[in-house]
Amino acid sequence: MNREGHLKSEQNTHSKLHNKRGWKVLAITLGACVILSACGNGNSITSDQAEQQSAEQASNNETSENSNQEQNSSSEVSTMVTPDNFIDTLMNGSKDAIYNQFSPELKGTLTLEQFKTTADPFLEGVESWEQVVDIEMNQLSELAWKDQTGTKGILAYFSEENQIEGLSIQPLEAHDTDAKFTKTEFQFPIKGEWFVFWGGNDVLSNYHYAHETQRYALDIVRTKDQSSYQGDAKENQNYYAFGEPLYAAADGTVVEIKNDIPDNVPGVMNPEEPAGNYVVIDHGNSEYSITGHIKEGSVSVKKGDKLKQGDLIGELGNSGNSSEAHLHFQVSDGPDLFTSQSINIRWADQSQQLTRGNTIQGLPE
């Protein structure tokens, strides 16, 4: 992670979550920031990993800077785009003003003309927007909106200086599997108060949703004062989630474990071992819980162990394709993360909503 430790969303149009190398639960994006995020689609406007495109960005940035200078010399753009007026500006105001506030990395991914030609057709027929996400985390504001039909979505990220660090516009679709829940009732597998970074039944609230192998997966972080860490952002021990005990979410039998993958320096991911250290538990009824990114050497169970709900299984870590300590938890219809289908989880406590932006109470401490 960079020194600022921002949490932001990567929409990597080249990755596929249904294969091993594409399991990007957390990713570095926009050069200076880190984000829990999603795979995009053809209508996403986002920044890819900066190190993969630095040469291309340098060329694009020079082009966009020249273009901006020409535009500003011919017509003054005085509108300051903020989270409060972003949607109105997008619908009725100047797209030049929005583009002018893109971060250099975001400008490096597309030109002003590409932004306009993507946004204009997408906005046709939209009468109103409902805000569905409003989050501040690690000095970054994230906002998301759905149109009146619930079939179009916009996701935007703003720095404290109102620079637009990320933007995605995309169609939304529901799946029949939303109504199918596990037969097993699960308890939240960690103690105390936690923040749902990704969770829900659409790609605005849960980037996993685009892919059936992880559609109902959760990414959970621990926060204090709207931050997931304190001190040096490159030290795992400074993240509130790191090292927290993990527990079996329901009775079952351990069928797979991994325990020897080193924890990453925050911001430096390991795509060769995307799940990192993990525990897979068979709960019967073709339902398998998968807990990923566990701390190296902390897995306290072995294959064949019979577990009761609440038994210790390890400690939360930052192993695998992860940029900071967090819990990845899902239930699938098979033990293989990359070939099985994710199942919507039936929680024993129905009073809490494990959807993006909500703070939830785990097991008693």
Side-chain angles (χ1 to χ4, degrees):
M1 177 177 287
N2 62 53
R3 65 184 183 277
E4 294 175 317
H6 294 322
L7 281 174
K8 294 172 23 172
S9 179
E10 178 210 46
Q11 306 272 346
N12 183 350
T13 58
H14 304 295
S15 65
K16 301 292 183 183
L17 291 182
H18 58 262
N19 65 46
K20 270 195 171 186
R21 293 183 62 82
W23 195 41
K24 300 208 175 207
V25 176
L26 297 168
I28 303 173
T29 69
L30 309 185
C33 301
V34 175
I35 185 184
L36 295 173
S37 173
C39 279
N41 55 40
N43 288 318
S44 293
I45 299 177
T46 61
S47 171
D48 204 345
Q49 293 188 16
E51 56 266 54
Q52 295 177 350
Q53 58 181 28
S54 57
E56 179 183 348
Q57 283 185 0
S59 174
N60 288 340
N61 285 345
E62 182 177 355
T63 300
S64 62
E65 286 173 7
N66 292 337
S67 174
N68 287 341
Q69 290 172 0
E70 293 173 2
Q71 292 158 7
N72 290 337
S73 63
S74 60
S75 61
E76 183 179 356
V77 179
S78 59
T79 303
M80 170 60 74
V81 182
T82 68
D84 291 336
N85 67 19
F86 173 80
I87 282 291
D88 185 60
T89 305
L90 183 66
M91 294 293 293
N92 307 308
S94 168
K95 292 184 179 63
D96 297 62
I98 293 175
Y99 188 85
N100 283 346
Q101 287 179 221
F102 278 10
S103 68
E105 291 86 357
L106 193 54
K107 286 179 180 177
T109 68
L110 78 168
T111 66
L112 172 62
E113 185 60 27
Q114 289 171 331
F115 170 50
K116 289 181 176 179
T117 57
T118 302
D120 288 341
F122 182 83
L123 297 173
E124 290 180 3
V126 176
E127 298 174 0
S128 62
W129 293 97
E130 175 191 3
Q131 187 169 343
V132 293
V133 175
D134 185 0
I135 297 172
E136 291 186 16
M137 179 74 66
N138 294 353
Q139 299 85 50
L140 189 75
S141 295
E142 178 199 342
L143 302 101
W145 301 264
K146 291 181 182 179
D147 79 332
Q148 76 280 358
T149 66
T151 61
K152 296 180 179 182
I154 294 177
L155 191 62
Y157 295 87
F158 283 80
S159 71
E160 291 181 314
E161 296 76 28
N162 286 323
Q163 182 167 266
I164 298 172
E165 303 284 357
L167 177 63
S168 175
I169 62 175
Q170 55 192 311
L172 304 176
E173 62 174 331
H175 294 278
D176 293 340
T177 51
D178 292 354
K180 179 184 177 182
F181 288 82
T182 59
K183 295 179 180 178
T184 306
E185 284 193 344
F186 291 87
Q187 286 186 349
F188 197 61
I190 37 185
K191 293 181 178 180
E193 190 174 86
W194 293 79
F195 181 83
V196 182
F197 200 95
W198 289 115
N201 289 357
D202 62 62
V203 293
L204 291 180
S205 56
N206 191 358
Y207 85 90
H208 303 98
Y209 188 78
H211 302 272
E212 62 183 0
T213 59
Q214 297 186 56
R215 181 155 292 150
Y216 305 106
L218 297 164
D219 283 344
I220 309 291
V221 298
R222 192 158 220 177
T223 62
K224 294 181 182 179
D225 299 323
Q226 297 180 322
S227 180
S228 60
Y229 70 97
Q230 63 176 350
D232 186 353
K234 290 187 176 295
E235 297 290 336
N236 280 315
Q237 290 77 8
N238 290 339
Y239 287 80
Y240 300 120
F242 190 77
E244 286 292 314
L246 295 165
Y247 302 94
D251 296 355
T253 302
V254 177
V255 293
E256 296 288 346
I257 69 162
K258 183 164 284 190
N259 196 29
D260 59 355
I261 305 301
D263 289 286
N264 304 320
V265 174
V268 181
M269 298 179 295
N270 180 3
E272 299 300 326
E273 294 285 350
N277 302 305
Y278 57 82
V279 172
V280 181
I281 302 173
D282 180 359
H283 302 283
N285 301 310
S286 296
E287 295 172 356
Y288 299 79
S289 66
I290 301 170
T291 304
H293 306 315
I294 296 175
K295 181 180 176 182
E296 180 186 13
S298 74
V299 172
S300 57
V301 295
K302 61 183 183 299
K303 289 180 65 173
D305 282 354
K306 304 292 185 182
L307 302 181
K308 291 295 185 181
Q309 189 176 65
D311 285 349
L312 182 71
I313 64 171
E315 296 176 10
L316 196 151
N318 187 31
S319 60
N321 213 29
S322 168
S323 64
E324 73 167 80
H326 72 287
L327 167 70
H328 176 99
F329 183 82
Q330 68 179 81
V331 177
S332 299
D333 63 4
D336 190 323
L337 174 67
F338 305 103
T339 60
S340 305
Q341 292 191 0
S342 177
I343 310 172
N344 223 341
I345 300 170
R346 185 185 307 278
W347 297 101
D349 182 359
Q350 296 291 318
S351 67
Q352 301 189 103
Q353 295 296 316
L354 275 76
T355 53
R356 181 153 170 73
N358 285 338
T359 297
I360 56 173
Q361 187 64 42
L363 299 170
E365 291 189 280

